[in-house]
Amino acid sequence: MPALMALIVAVAELGSGFGGAVATGSEVSDRTMSVYLEVTVAQRDGPVIAHLRTPGQDWVAHPLVEGGNGAWGTTLELRRADWLVVFEAVGAAALSEPVRVTELGLDPALLVSDAPPPEDIGRTAPTSPRWGWLSIACGAGGAAILVGLLAFGRSVNPRHLRRSAPFRRFGQS
């Protein structure tokens, strides 16, 4: 019953559009663990990216694989720590609320005991994904303009490279 309550609390903290988030894991070595992350979003809101970080580190993005019915998941090998996770629904350009993997159901016994206290972990979300999409759109627009200039511009077939009239032998008409 406590595991069920932890899952219900985690779903409530993720924010609108996100639900059914869960984290399970197993020990790989003294320093690493294997963690399975899964979250459910509306099917039109996928794909989903999981942004993870530990205190003092930058956010690292991991794409999730579609599992059907709006479920997205992945298995990661991570350093044994209580990672902070923010899910990003790319189709909806939405970010979930930050949540720890232990709040998603990961067994705290898998974690290393030298982790900083919870209040040291800043719950700031990664930057908005819109800048990434804007850079992709600008690159695609620039490529389209370049192709248009090459296809329709005179620089494609300059005068000195144009084929002249067919070659005729001397004395032929």
Side-chain angles (χ1 to χ4, degrees), residues 64-143:
L64 277 63
V65 178
E66 184 176 17
N69 295 327
W72 294 80
T74 191
T75 301
L76 305 168
E77 188 171 323
L78 302 170
R79 183 173 51 87
R80 292 172 70 172
D82 197 6
W83 290 81
L84 195 61
V85 180
V86 173
F87 294 103
E88 175 185 352
V90 176
L95 297 172
S96 72
E97 293 296 319
V99 63
R100 296 179 209 292
V101 290
T102 52
E103 294 173 321
L104 295 177
L106 185 72
D107 184 7
L110 288 172
L111 308 179
V112 177
S113 62
D114 63 350
E119 49 272 3
D120 288 348
I121 296 177
R123 288 188 177 242
T124 56
T127 57
S128 173
R130 291 185 182 111
W131 287 109
W133 287 111
L134 179 63
S135 64
I136 291 171
C138 288

Side-chain angles (χ1 to χ4, degrees), residues 138-152:
C138 288
I145 291 171
L146 180 62
V147 167
L149 288 174
L150 290 175
F152 300 110

Side-chain angles (χ1 to χ4, degrees), residues 13-61:
E13 289 184 11
L14 289 178
S16 63
F18 296 90
V22 67
T24 57
S26 61
E27 180 179 326
V28 174
S29 71
D30 291 341
R31 302 180 62 85
T32 61
M33 62 183 173
S34 175
V35 176
Y36 176 73
L37 291 173
E38 183 177 292
V39 68
T40 304
V41 297
Q43 289 182 348
R44 67 182 179 281
D45 292 343
V48 179
I49 299 172
H51 299 274
L52 290 100
R53 71 166 251 189
T54 57
Q57 301 296 317
D58 290 331
W59 290 97
V60 180

